[in-house]
Amino acid sequence: MKRFMSITLSTVLLAGALAACSPGGEKSSTSTKDGKDSKISISWFDGTWETPVPEPGNEAVKKVNEKFNVDFQPQYIPFDLYTDKLTVKMASGDIPDVVGTEAADANFVKWSNQGAFLPLNDYVDKYETFKDIPQSVWDVVSVDGKKYGIPLYFPSKGGKKPVIRQDWLDKLGLEMPTNFEELTEVAIAFATKDPDGNGKNDTVGLGLAKGLVYDPSFGVYWGNSWYHENKDGQLIPGQISDGSKEKVTYLNEMFKAGAIDKDWAIKPYNDVFKEFNAGKVGIWYEQPGNDKGSQPQSLDLATLRKSVPDAKIAGIPPFTAPDNSQGFAGGSGYYRIWMLSAELKNDPKKVEKILEMMNYMAKYVPAEEQTADNEYFDWIMGGSGKGYNIVDGAPQLTEEFSQVAPIALFNQKQGGWDMDDQSMQDYVKQSKAPEAKEFNTLMGEMLSNTDFYISPVGRIHSDAYNEKNAALTEFATNELTKMVVGQRPISEWDKYVDEYLAKGGKDVIADVNKLIKENKIKGEWVKAK
């Protein structure tokens, strides 16, 4: 997974910290000499997207050593190489005090069950920043009730959301779509009624890319979350739900009418961003972030207005479902996890020092306080004029950042420790381009007033799911793609569902529901405040 969205400096309150086993067996991290405690030595192994990769003895490491009175020994691996390196490291037995991973995947569960990591239940309540983490996220990093990691909390409202050309709606006398029938009408009009006024049939109504990216669900009811139940009362994956069947039916209608690009099934999603920015796509997806307005490789209002000066966009609120629910699927609520070695069980002093460092580096810094006058902010950022500069009232990283800023060693995270949608408000305050401020304002207002559904599946650890879900998802994506383009009739929906179940879906559904019941959790709505 690449660095979320972009480096955003409301994002600057970063956190991070990892932990795993120290080489050489159980040994105390402290000793006394002349009546004084020696520095605690902390080995740290993690992936990074920082460029250049932070070096073990750089200036940022020296600052951490001085601040916390430790001997900090980090090793960072570029994330595109990290998974393999981590597997080798764990297999070697030479496991560092702290280990990072991007997700609570099958390896995380396996290593936790094998006793590689230290349960942290008795520690986490002592640290203020960890108290903002919802129970749903703690469940993700827990196995059999034991918290085996510190999650880098990520607001669940993150992720791409649908965006529409408001000026096209206005020109064609159309209203914002509120259901799939209206969406289909709008998408067809965008593709056939020359909304850009150039006299050519060269516009696309609904953007879509290979792999059904981004999932054009317009609400959790039609998406891929485990939201629906089957006739036996079991939760099922969205790909085989009635909501998905309805979505695919309308997508097929749009495709036949020319509202979706005829080559969408082989089109990379990055190409759709370019086409939207060129003024040729009416509906696509984007999310708030600090650098909106200066990222032409993403959906970018500033780039769009170079060719269409009067272009206006708006977020599409989630549709109201047949069951009267209305909201988007929430994200996992975290990005990355840090585990402490089980070999630290007899060294609570080192455990507390590691968690102290994590807690300190995770403090939230509101946009208006991200200044050189803020001693904490200036320190974690490597110093004004060195790790960052204040440009137009907002922090801007220097090329030295990853070598001089302590926060770069703990890795940046999007939005900080979410405080009542504070991160989205900070995006508006820190937007450099007026187009970015405009975009973040309209998206922030929509998302702040939107309910989000948190699926229970991410909160349990199913072996069947981990083993079979990737293949099942690939199968479902391929078959649904065929239905959209007309290569497989939608009348075969029940047959498709039976095929999905026979390929392991039935086993996955049974195991997931068994674990959900045993752990007494369920899907839940996070209501807008």
Side-chain angles (χ1 to χ4, degrees):
M1 179 185 296
K2 293 190 176 180
R3 177 181 305 203
F4 264 45
M5 307 177 195
S6 64
I7 297 182
T8 77
L9 266 274
S10 43
T11 297
V12 108
L13 352 152
L14 308 169
L18 323 118
C21 316
S22 58
E26 295 180 11
K27 57 183 181 181
S28 174
S29 62
T30 59
S31 60
T32 58
K33 183 177 182 180
D34 299 329
K36 296 181 179 180
D37 287 345
S38 64
K39 287 187 175 182
I40 295 176
S41 176
I42 300 173
S43 54
W44 199 282
F45 190 78
D46 195 13
T48 184
W49 290 112
E50 296 291 353
T51 303
V53 173
E55 298 173 354
N58 65 22
E59 185 174 331
V61 171
K62 294 176 182 177
K63 291 177 180 177
V64 170
N65 286 338
E66 181 179 0
K67 176 72 177 178
F68 295 101
N69 190 33
V70 296
D71 178 16
F72 188 48
Q73 301 173 5
Q75 181 181 1
Y76 296 99
I77 308 294
F79 259 125
D80 52 356
L81 303 174
Y82 183 65
T83 300
D84 291 341
K85 298 287 187 181
L86 175 59
T87 301
V88 172
K89 175 67 73 173
M90 294 297 294
S92 72
D94 180 21
I95 306 174
D97 295 320
V98 178
V99 171
T101 186
E102 287 195 286
D105 56 14
N107 278 332
F108 168 82
V109 177
K110 178 182 72 174
W111 294 329
S112 297
N113 284 328
Q114 289 175 347
F117 306 134
L118 180 71
L120 299 171
N121 302 53
D122 294 336
Y123 290 94
V124 295
D125 289 342
K126 301 176 183 179
Y127 300 91
E128 193 65 30
T129 57
F130 301 157
K131 295 178 182 179
D132 289 331
I133 301 175
Q135 183 60 42
S136 61
V137 178
W138 282 121
D139 288 343
V140 173
V141 299
S142 300
V143 178
D144 295 331
K146 297 178 180 178
K147 297 174 181 175
Y148 283 110
I150 300 297
L152 188 58
Y153 181 42
F154 181 91
S156 61
K157 293 184 179 182
K160 298 287 194 287
K161 302 297 183 293
V163 173
I164 193 168
R165 285 287 299 273
Q166 180 66 52
D167 55 316
W168 284 9
L169 286 174
D170 296 340
K171 180 175 180 179
L172 299 178
L174 299 168
E175 299 294 328
M176 178 70 72
T178 62
N179 54 48
F180 267 97
E181 183 177 358
E182 294 173 1
L183 179 76
T184 301
E185 177 187 353
V186 167
I188 293 174
F190 280 1
T192 61
K193 294 187 177 180
D194 192 26
D196 61 353
N198 69 353
K200 300 178 182 179
N201 185 24
D202 60 353
T203 52
V204 171
L206 174 68
L208 196 59
K210 66 179 180 179
L212 288 167
V213 173
Y214 293 95
D215 178 26
S217 57
F218 298 89
V220 68
Y221 180 89
W222 301 274
N224 294 329
S225 293
W226 289 61
Y227 176 78
H228 293 265
E229 293 183 354
N230 61 19
K231 60 181 176 59
D232 297 320
Q234 295 176 308
L235 281 178
I236 59 173
Q239 292 95 330
I240 61 172
S241 70
D242 290 341
S244 192
K245 180 181 180 181
E246 179 183 347
K247 172 182 66 181
V248 170
T249 299
Y250 278 106
L251 290 176
N252 173 253
E253 183 177 336
M254 289 183 235
F255 181 78
K256 289 188 294 186
I260 300 175
D261 191 311
K262 61 182 176 60
D263 295 323
W264 74 267
I266 59 172
K267 183 184 290 292
Y269 69 90
N270 283 331
D271 287 356
V272 188
F273 280 112
K274 296 175 184 177
E275 291 166 358
F276 186 96
N277 291 339
K280 297 303 178 184
V281 176
I283 301 169
W284 190 227
Y285 304 84
E286 194 47 276
Q287 60 203 5
N290 267 16
D291 293 332
K292 303 304 171 186
S294 59
Q295 294 180 301
Q297 73 275 16
S298 301
L299 188 155
D300 190 80
L301 186 55
T303 303
L304 173 61
R305 284 181 176 163
K306 289 178 182 179
S307 55
V308 189
D310 297 327
K312 295 180 181 180
I313 60 176
I316 302 178
F319 299 162
T320 300
D323 64 359
N324 291 319
S325 65
Q326 184 179 16
F328 291 122
S332 65
Y334 76 101
Y335 167 56
R336 313 190 56 191
I337 309 168
W338 291 272
M339 294 78 71
L340 278 68
S341 167
E343 296 210 13
L344 298 180
K345 64 182 179 181
N346 294 327
D347 198 346
K349 191 168 185 178
K350 180 183 279 195
V351 172
E352 291 171 356
K353 177 61 70 172
I354 291 170
L355 296 179
E356 174 194 345
M357 293 166 64
M358 294 183 189
N359 178 68
Y360 186 82
M361 303 301 287
K363 292 180 181 179
Y364 187 80
V365 183
E368 61 271 17
E369 296 178 19
Q370 294 180 20
T371 67
D373 294 333
N374 183 324
E375 183 177 353
Y376 169 77
F377 177 76
D378 189 64
W379 182 82
I380 64 172
M381 294 296 293
S384 177
K386 197 161 189 179
Y388 72 101
N389 294 300
I390 300 296
V391 180
D392 297 328
Q396 181 173 303
L397 304 186
T398 67
E399 293 182 358
E400 292 184 89
F401 175 79
S402 65
Q403 302 303 319
V404 302
I407 201 65
L409 303 173
F410 293 76
N411 293 285
Q412 289 185 278
K413 66 189 175 95
Q414 182 70 32
W417 297 78
D418 190 39
M419 295 181 174
D420 300 329
D421 301 325
Q422 181 69 44
S423 58
M424 288 189 289
Q425 298 172 29
D426 286 349
Y427 294 148
V428 175
K429 295 174 184 177
Q430 295 193 312
S431 297
K432 299 179 181 65
E435 295 86 358
K437 187 179 294 290
E438 177 183 347
F439 176 84
N440 286 328
T441 298
L442 67 90
M443 293 299 287
E445 289 176 351
M446 181 184 79
L447 295 175
S448 294
N449 291 289
T450 299
D451 296 341
F452 281 78
Y453 174 77
I454 306 299
S455 170
V457 175
R459 301 171 62 179
I460 51 97
H461 301 291
S462 163
D463 290 339
Y465 181 93
N466 289 335
E467 292 169 6
K468 300 178 181 181
N469 186 62
L472 287 168
T473 298
E474 182 179 7
F475 168 75
T477 300
N478 289 339
E479 297 309 304
L480 298 180
T481 295
K482 293 176 185 177
M483 290 183 186
V484 173
V485 301
Q487 292 179 358
R488 180 171 189 175
I490 300 174
S491 60
E492 291 189 2
W493 184 267
D494 290 344
K495 181 180 179 181
Y496 149 71
V497 172
D498 288 341
E499 292 168 355
Y500 181 98
L501 296 174
K503 287 180 178 294
K506 184 176 181 180
D507 294 336
V508 171
I509 291 170
D511 195 47
V512 164
N513 281 271
K514 171 178 173 289
L515 292 171
I516 288 173
K517 184 176 181 179
E518 289 177 353
N519 287 277
K520 299 179 180 180
I521 60 175
K522 58 184 179 179
E524 62 187 58
W525 283 96
V526 177
K527 296 293 184 178
K529 296 181 179 180

